[in-house]
Amino acid sequence: MITFIQKKRDLLLEITSNLLIVEIILIILHYLTSFVVSIWIDVHLLMVATVACGFAWFFIYIQKDEEHFREITQPHMKGLFLFCLLLVVLSGLSFDLIQQNHFLKSIESSISSVQPYLIVFLIGAGFLMLHFKKESIPAKAGLTEEIMEMPAKGKAKGVGKLIYMLTGRENLWYNAFLLVILTLFFITRLYDTDFINGTDNYNVLGIKNMYENGMSVYRYSPITDFLMLKIVTSFGFDFFTIKIPFILYSFITLIFIYLSSGLINRNLALVSSFLYVISPWAIIHARITRDYSFDLMVGSIALYLCFVIYRKISETESPKKILLYLLFFSFVPLSLVFVYHNIRSQTIVVGIYVLFTALYILNHLLNKIVAGGTFSGMRAMTVLRANIRSVNLVYWVAVYSALLSALFLIEKFPFVFGFKDLDFIYFDFFFNPLTDSPWQWFYGVDIKSLFFYGMFLLGLFSFDSSEVPRKYLLILFSSFVFGLVLYGLKYETHLEYIPVRYLYFLFLPYIIIFANSVLNLIKLFSSRPERTVLIITLVLLINPTALLYSVNPVLAYQNEKISNVQVDNIGIGRFNLLQVVEYLEEMGINEDNVLVLDGRYAEFILYLDRPMDNGRKLVRRSSDGTLYYDISRKTYVQSTYFGYSELNEAVDANKKGIYVSSDKVILSENGQEEMKLSSRDFQLYDVHFRHINTINGFQIYSWDTS
């Protein structure tokens, strides 16, 4: 790229300078004359393009004497970069002090109005600083620029080496930070677990039924069900014990995030692990009794194995060893296929990591064959060897053409045949901090997505001179983008909303690349004051409220009436039910009373701790077939959302009972409206229903025909 720019410098300078002049003229016409530019071009986009074009012109111009310009501009560029970064971050925050002060609020509004231009300046300045930094690092510098150095090998052996690794001067701060990460992990995952899933508690009811009666009609995931049952059998059934498998999955994920990112950079292992530990999204999923954390765990293990085998193949010259490593590599996708058929079908999507690792392995072997002595007598091979870059270009064009064709031809639920319009909600979930319930570190910060895209792309660069870590980053990036495109173009939800929780497996490459961008930013600044300002600014992006509420969801309900701390519609809590539960208990409702519940029946059963019924099951018919769910004794379900209509059956079989519902209407089995619900008595099925109370949107009725 740089060589091309140097060769075509004069032509590129002419193009960019002419574009820059035209853009500046248009801006002047728009602001200083009556000529209305905004009719045919977006003015904000024009301003962004002008700043970007200016940086492009400057970058091309300095190629003539880059060393001279680096010495002149780099010190000033750092200061401007930090200043603009601080302005961007502060313009996106909302403090009471700013909102209540008219002067401060006007300043904040002024900065916010030019935020897009500041972000473009940041991206351009960051690119130039990164380029200058990479050019100034000697070819054999390796990881010498890291904040904390690896101790020299051979200083000690055996137990002495282990002790040195734990207590040596070079490792003391590293290990201290690692201990902080582990401590934070256990605090954030184990603190106050006395709550349930906000929805989808069917597998918990199944385990409860197995625990009480030794049977269940609901099957979720063989490994998870086995672990949950073993744990509750050993320690009893409560809201903590049912979460232990998912906390365990989360801990194993932490280990393999550390190991995988550690293959790229030792410090990257720390930063990646830290971001994972303090991510509200990861904290919530570790406490949801659904297998999204299992997917991420399997993905992290598969990625680590792929990275290790890829490194072994890259470092060996022996054909026999390469064949052996390829054999080991084949066990990774085979294991995923086994998981797909026998444990959990959703987990197969983590095969994206295996797919792109395999493509890079093939590319490496192709380069080895072309560059080596194999088939050296063939004239065609000599030609290929002289045009190795063209060979790689053809290879990747062919690969991505094949991937695009395969992507188009996929037709297996939930992926549709062909392409639909690209749904950017999947991209927004990772990069737009104002998207509903993303629960990322920067949730609620009013900063344009462009800033976070720029931050993410910064993570693709590496100061390590080794080729393998760079390929690791490309594998991560390719997997992440392909996963987003797969869901954006192909996914067809079976619900009325988009369940972005299925993208949780992509949190693995996302977190490592983002962590590398943080490290790259830190490495751009050499002085302690500069790094201190940078770190403080980045910390300001982290939303402490999101982190606090994910750790202690009860506070979310107490402070802001957030009943379900959720990702899309699944989350933790459903605390608005607790007042209803307390009221029912005060009424003396127990396991001997008949209850008719709405779609939140599973949550009510768990909070009321009603014993399970091993002789009855809920039957639900849908496009996926007939589904069976566990239910508690003397409990019926009347739900508009889920299509259950058991109220009639309940009043026919029982002379008295309690009906609790948040539905607006009562529907019959064929979907016909039978009664609108309100805070009044009503007559239905020749039975009088007396309204008792309304609590948090739930209407409570009773009937008594005795």
Side-chain angles (χ1 to χ4, degrees):
M1 180 67 177
I2 299 298
T3 306
F4 173 78
I5 292 173
Q6 290 170 344
K7 286 181 178 179
K8 304 292 183 178
R9 179 177 176 273
D10 293 336
L11 175 63
L12 292 173
L13 268 179
E14 186 175 351
I15 293 172
T16 53
S17 59
N18 288 333
L19 280 174
L20 190 59
I21 291 169
V22 170
E23 289 163 345
I24 291 172
I25 291 172
L26 288 174
I27 292 171
I28 293 172
L29 287 173
H30 177 76
Y31 285 104
L32 300 181
T33 72
S34 58
F35 186 75
V36 185
V37 175
S38 57
I39 291 177
W40 52 281
I41 189 171
D42 186 274
V43 176
H44 289 290
L45 181 61
L46 176 62
M47 294 285 285
V48 168
T50 304
V51 177
C53 194
F55 269 104
W57 179 87
F58 180 73
F59 178 71
I60 296 166
Y61 181 78
I62 64 174
Q63 295 304 311
K64 187 175 182 180
D65 191 357
E66 187 175 312
E67 187 70 30
H68 172 70
F69 280 102
R70 180 168 64 240
E71 292 178 2
I72 295 174
T73 59
Q74 194 171 20
H76 305 294
M77 195 72 73
K78 287 182 179 180
L80 283 172
F81 181 89
L82 280 177
F83 180 69
C84 289
L85 178 63
L86 190 59
L87 286 180
V88 168
V89 172
L90 289 177
S91 69
L93 301 179
S94 178
F95 297 115
D96 291 338
L97 176 64
I98 295 175
Q99 299 303 317
Q100 294 169 6
N101 188 295
H102 179 73
F103 176 70
L104 293 177
K105 190 173 181 179
S106 63
I107 294 176
E108 188 263 345
S109 299
S110 300
I111 298 173
S112 297
S113 65
V114 296
Q115 190 190 94
Y117 319 132
L118 291 174
I119 291 172
V120 174
F121 175 83
L122 278 174
I123 293 173
F127 172 78
L128 286 175
M129 290 165 60
L130 185 69
H131 175 70
F132 288 155
K133 184 74 173 180
K134 292 186 74 173
E135 291 296 315
S136 65
I137 295 177
K140 297 183 179 180
L143 300 178
T144 56
E145 291 293 317
E146 292 197 7
I147 306 163
M148 294 168 282
E149 297 290 335
M150 274 287 256
K153 295 181 180 180
K155 287 190 176 183
K157 294 182 179 180
V159 178
K161 184 176 182 179
L162 177 62
I163 294 173
Y164 177 80
M165 288 176 65
L166 295 174
T167 61
R169 194 171 186 179
E170 294 92 339
N171 281 299
L172 193 58
W173 286 107
Y174 188 94
N175 292 327
F177 193 23
L178 193 57
L179 183 61
V180 168
I181 290 172
L182 290 172
T183 304
L184 283 174
F185 174 85
F186 289 111
I187 290 174
T188 54
R189 271 65 175 180
L190 300 179
Y191 179 82
D192 190 15
T193 57
D194 192 24
F195 50 78
I196 58 176
N197 295 349
T199 187
D200 284 7
N201 283 286
Y202 315 123
N203 63 322
V204 181
L205 290 186
I207 296 300
K208 192 173 191 293
N209 205 0
M210 286 289 292
Y211 175 68
E212 293 176 358
N213 303 310
M215 60 85 64
S216 171
V217 297
Y218 185 81
R219 293 290 181 270
Y220 180 57
S221 169
I223 290 180
T224 297
D225 289 349
F226 173 79
L227 287 174
M228 290 177 76
L229 186 59
K230 284 294 182 183
I231 290 168
V232 300
T233 302
S234 302
F235 302 104
F237 183 93
D238 59 47
F239 295 159
F240 171 66
T241 54
I242 60 174
K243 296 183 180 72
I244 291 177
F246 308 94
I247 296 171
L248 177 63
Y249 296 157
S250 182
F251 183 66
I252 295 172
T253 300
L254 173 64
I255 293 172
F256 280 94
I257 285 177
Y258 178 85
L259 293 174
S260 299
S261 51
L263 292 173
I264 302 173
N265 185 307
R266 187 172 183 247
N267 291 324
L268 181 61
L270 272 189
V271 180
S272 301
S273 303
F274 179 71
L275 289 179
Y276 172 72
V277 164
I278 66 166
S279 165
W281 199 19
I283 294 169
I284 290 172
H285 274 299
R287 306 163 97 187
I288 291 175
T289 57
R290 306 293 287 181
D291 263 353
Y292 310 111
S293 53
F294 177 82
D295 297 338
L296 186 61
M297 178 193 71
V298 172
S300 64
I301 296 171
L303 182 72
Y304 175 71
L305 293 175
C306 288
F307 276 7
V308 169
I309 295 172
Y310 177 69
R311 169 162 279 182
K312 293 292 184 182
I313 291 174
S314 301
E315 292 175 349
T316 186
E317 297 294 331
S318 169
K320 289 184 178 180
K321 285 188 176 181
I322 289 175
L323 286 174
L324 182 63
Y325 292 139
L326 288 175
L327 179 63
F328 288 151
F329 182 79
S330 67
F331 285 112
V332 181
L334 288 175
S335 300
L336 292 179
V337 171
F338 175 81
V339 171
Y340 171 77
H341 284 293
N342 298 283
I343 299 172
R344 176 172 163 81
S345 58
Q346 172 68 23
T347 311
I348 195 66
V349 291
V350 305
I352 290 173
Y353 307 138
V354 183
L355 170 65
F356 280 96
T357 306
L359 293 176
Y360 275 91
I361 288 175
L362 286 174
N363 181 247
H364 170 78
L365 294 177
L366 177 65
N367 286 335
K368 187 182 284 288
I369 291 171
V370 172
T374 314
F375 309 113
S376 56
M378 296 177 61
R379 185 174 179 180
M381 193 59 64
T382 305
V383 174
L384 290 176
R385 192 175 298 117
N387 298 275
I388 189 68
R389 288 187 177 181
S390 300
V391 171
N392 282 323
L393 179 63
V394 171
Y395 172 82
W396 287 113
V397 168
V399 161
Y400 282 105
S401 299
L403 284 176
L404 197 64
S405 301
L407 197 63
F408 183 85
L409 296 171
I410 290 175
E411 188 178 15
K412 185 174 178 61
F413 183 81
F415 300 112
V416 297
F417 176 77
F419 294 139
K420 61 184 184 65
D421 291 338
L422 183 62
D423 198 329
F424 283 98
I425 182 63
Y426 301 104
F427 292 85
D428 285 344
F429 192 78
F430 286 100
F431 298 107
N432 184 355
L434 297 181
T435 303
D436 288 339
S437 69
W439 290 101
Q440 290 300 343
W441 312 286
F442 40 77
Y443 172 60
V445 180
D446 189 12
I447 297 179
K448 303 296 181 185
S449 299
L450 180 63
F451 174 80
F452 297 102
Y453 280 114
M455 280 280 292
F456 185 76
L457 291 174
L458 180 63
L460 286 178
F461 296 93
S462 175
F463 291 120
D464 186 1
S465 60
S466 174
E467 186 68 18
V468 173
R470 292 176 184 172
K471 292 294 176 65
Y472 287 162
L473 289 171
L474 289 173
I475 289 169
L476 289 168
F477 180 76
S478 303
S479 302
F480 179 77
V481 172
F482 184 80
L484 286 181
V485 171
L486 170 66
Y487 276 81
L489 287 175
K490 303 286 291 180
Y491 184 79
E492 188 173 71
T493 179
H494 59 295
L495 303 165
E496 73 275 13
Y497 61 90
I498 296 175
V500 288
R501 58 183 180 270
Y502 293 144
L503 290 182
Y504 185 52
F505 77 99
L506 288 179
F507 197 47
L508 176 62
Y510 175 80
I511 206 169
I512 296 176
I513 294 174
F514 235 109
N516 198 48
S517 72
V518 172
L519 274 181
N520 282 338
L521 273 178
I522 292 173
K523 289 175 183 177
L524 289 176
F525 300 91
S526 54
S527 71
R528 182 169 293 180
E530 289 175 338
R531 286 184 171 180
T532 302
V533 172
L534 176 65
I535 291 171
I536 291 173
T537 306
L538 293 177
V539 168
L540 286 174
L541 287 173
I542 298 174
N543 188 320
T545 305
L547 178 58
L548 179 63
Y549 286 172
S550 62
V551 175
N552 189 359
V554 177
L555 277 180
Y557 184 65
Q558 292 174 348
N559 295 344
E560 301 185 40
K561 296 302 177 184
I562 300 174
S563 175
N564 185 23
V565 180
Q566 63 188 46
V567 176
D568 51 67
N569 85 319
I570 195 168
I572 51 180
R574 200 63 70 174
F575 298 109
N576 62 331
L577 302 186
L578 289 176
Q579 286 178 272
V580 183
V581 169
E582 290 172 3
Y583 183 79
L584 293 174
E585 290 174 340
E586 288 172 3
M587 288 176 60
I589 302 300
N590 55 40
E591 61 189 66
D592 296 322
N593 297 102
V594 173
L595 274 184
V596 180
L597 303 169
D598 67 358
R600 301 274 70 85
Y601 73 92
E603 292 75 56
F604 273 117
I605 289 170
L606 290 171
Y607 275 136
L608 287 165
D609 195 22
R610 291 176 71 83
M612 301 303 293
D613 190 339
N614 63 349
R616 200 173 86 85
K617 60 193 174 190
L618 277 179
V619 181
R620 183 182 175 196
R621 292 175 177 84
S622 67
S623 57
D624 298 329
T626 303
L627 307 173
Y628 301 99
Y629 300 94
D630 297 279
I631 192 71
S632 60
R633 293 181 208 161
K634 296 190 175 183
T635 305
Y636 299 83
V637 181
Q638 177 73 34
S639 170
T640 301
Y641 182 84
F642 291 107
Y644 295 120
S645 302
E646 296 189 333
L647 181 59
N648 194 2
E649 179 186 346
V651 297
D652 283 346
N654 303 276
K655 292 184 176 180
K656 57 183 177 179
I658 300 293
Y659 174 35
V660 181
S661 180
S662 59
D663 289 340
K664 303 299 182 184
V665 297
I666 295 175
L667 299 182
S668 64
E669 288 186 2
N670 58 12
Q672 297 297 315
E673 182 181 315
E674 294 189 317
M675 179 64 63
K676 290 186 183 297
L677 292 178
S678 63
S679 302
R680 292 182 293 181
D681 297 0
F682 66 91
Q683 190 84 12
L684 187 64
Y685 311 130
D686 297 325
V687 173
H688 179 75
F689 289 83
R690 183 172 67 89
H691 182 264
I692 302 174
N693 204 348
T694 301
I695 303 174
N696 293 336
F698 287 90
Q699 308 287 352
I700 304 175
Y701 306 90
S702 69
W703 79 88
D704 190 345
T705 59
S706 57

